[in-house]
């Protein structure tokens, strides 16, 4: 078995303060025996305006946030899923990619996934809460990204992707055994749907799920739900971080996951692909 950690943060507008908080959490994950740790979406900046991320945009491969993640992975001998970071879009100075990268313990980035589904919605509860991610984020290519890790084959997704089960079927078809969902799920939508959707993705794909979320109130007054968690392939929540910054750690039993897939072969019974 391998141990995973999901980290919950209350990121603000100060990149360097956020990186310092992430460093403390990653150290705690390594001290707890985790071989892989997941940071939340926008871990390096939750600014007052959605456009604040444009000032932090980095070129692919280097920059303060990417260098930080590589250095932390090396120093802690830890696999790190770097939440999302703003990477520049060639030819589009007004938008960035929301990029989820994976760094190995040698500090080498071994996978990159650019968020596909963008959160352009009005929360349907009469509150007037609206978001338009496409104004500052360019969607990634609609291709699944799966990478080998000590936990098994890890499928990457981000936040709003969680509402699109066809993505997770594509990840499953690419061999995913563990699904990763760094997020900044809003308080209203999180209360209604966060755990429900995460457990559904685990059960329907017979995968472990690692869900790392933002929590609390941020610089612009936006509120996020927290409740970062680790879920097993039967839909059981192994641990939940509640609504404060911190982390949860759990063992992922790969042999039990494979045995469950054999004894309950729902994945073999699919008729639509």
């Amino acid at each position: 078995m391998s141990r995973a950690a999901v980290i919950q943060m209350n990121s603000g507008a100060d990149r360097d303060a956020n990186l310092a908080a992430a460093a403390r959490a990653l150290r705690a994950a390594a001290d707890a025996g985790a071989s892989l740790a997941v940071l939340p979406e926008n871990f390096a900046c939750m600014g007052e305006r959605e456009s604040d991320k444009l000032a932090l945009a980095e070129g692919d491969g280097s920059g303060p946030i990417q260098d930080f993640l590589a250095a932390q992975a090396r120093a802690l001998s830890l696999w790190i899923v770097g939440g999302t970071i703003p990477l520049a879009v060639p030819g589009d100075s007004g938008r960035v990619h929301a990029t989820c990268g994976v760094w190995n313990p040698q500090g080498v980035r071994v996978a990159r996934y650019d968020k596909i589904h963008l959160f352009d919605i009005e929360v349907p509860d009469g509150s007037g809460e609206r978001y338009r991610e496409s104004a500052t984020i360019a969607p990634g290519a609609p291709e699944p990204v799966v990478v080998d890790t000590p936990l098994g084959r890890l499928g990457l997704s981000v936040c709003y992707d969680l509402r699109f089960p066809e993505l997770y079927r594509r990840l499953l078809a690419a061999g995913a055994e563990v699904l990763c969902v760094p997020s900044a799920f809003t308080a209203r939508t999180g209360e209604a749907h966060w755990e429900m959707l995460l457990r559904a993705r685990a059960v329907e794909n017979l995968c472990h799920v690692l869900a790392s979320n933002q929590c609390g109130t941020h610089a612009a007054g936006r509120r996020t739900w927290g409740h970062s968690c680790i879920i097993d392939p039967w839909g059981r929540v192994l641990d939940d971080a509640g609504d404060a910054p911190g982390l949860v750690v759990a063992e992922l039993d790969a042999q039990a996951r494979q045995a469950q897939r054999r004894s309950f072969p729902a994945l073999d019974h699919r008729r639509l692909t």
Side-chain angles (χ1 to χ4, degrees):
M1 292 194 294
S2 295
R3 184 170 290 187
V6 298
I7 291 168
Q8 184 159 288
M9 295 179 63
N10 174 243
S11 298
D14 185 328
R15 181 194 62 196
D16 293 342
N18 295 328
L19 294 185
R24 291 190 293 271
L26 290 166
R27 167 61 68 181
D31 289 346
S35 59
L36 180 146
V38 185
L39 289 162
E41 184 179 24
N42 299 326
F43 79 95
C45 181
M46 292 278 285
E48 293 185 11
R49 297 167 298 277
E50 288 298 316
S51 59
D52 288 354
K53 64 174 71 73
L54 302 179
L56 300 179
E58 299 183 2
D60 187 20
S62 65
I65 304 171
Q66 293 170 88
D67 295 348
F68 164 83
L69 291 166
Q72 289 293 311
R74 286 193 301 269
L76 299 172
S77 296
L78 186 66
W79 287 78
I80 297 175
V81 179
T84 62
I85 59 178
L87 288 193
V89 179
D92 189 345
S93 61
R95 296 191 298 175
V96 294
H97 285 305
T99 297
C100 178
V102 180
W103 279 260
N104 70 16
Q106 291 72 49
V108 176
R109 195 186 74 193
V110 294
R112 170 182 170 173
Y113 167 71
D114 296 334
K115 185 178 182 181
I116 295 172
H117 301 100
L118 302 182
F119 195 50
D120 288 0
I121 64 95
E122 179 176 347
V123 180
D125 63 355
S127 66
E129 190 173 359
R130 295 180 178 87
Y131 299 91
R132 188 166 175 261
E133 283 190 334
S134 64
T136 55
I137 296 174
E143 296 294 335
V145 177
V146 178
V147 59
D148 288 312
T149 76
L151 305 178
R153 296 270 290 165
L154 184 72
L156 302 181
S157 63
V158 174
C159 199
Y160 191 47
D161 285 336
L162 187 58
R163 295 183 181 273
F164 300 88
E166 61 272 19
L167 170 61
Y168 296 90
R169 283 303 202 207
R170 291 281 300 278
L171 291 169
L172 183 73
E177 300 165 304
V178 181
L179 304 172
C180 189
V181 196
S183 300
F185 235 76
T186 71
R188 286 187 174 90
T189 59
E191 183 177 18
H193 300 142
W194 170 250
E195 184 177 307
M196 177 193 310
L197 289 169
L198 290 169
R199 294 178 70 189
R201 299 295 87 85
V203 169
E204 69 196 7
N205 296 296
L206 289 170
C207 286
H208 283 92
V209 172
L210 308 177
S212 177
N213 202 15
Q214 293 279 350
C215 68
T217 303
H218 304 272
R222 175 176 174 174
R223 294 173 54 243
T224 49
W225 177 240
H227 294 279
S228 300
C229 56
I230 300 175
I231 300 173
D232 79 4
W234 201 243
R236 291 178 290 241
V237 178
L238 302 179
D239 207 348
D240 182 308
D243 58 7
L247 74 160
V248 293
V249 180
E251 300 279 357
L252 272 58
D253 190 334
Q255 290 186 344
R257 182 175 61 232
Q258 293 304 319
Q260 192 167 53
R261 286 183 171 190
R262 289 192 298 271
S263 64
F264 193 83
L267 299 178
D268 297 330
H269 297 160
R270 288 173 292 164
R271 294 294 178 265
L272 301 176
T273 59

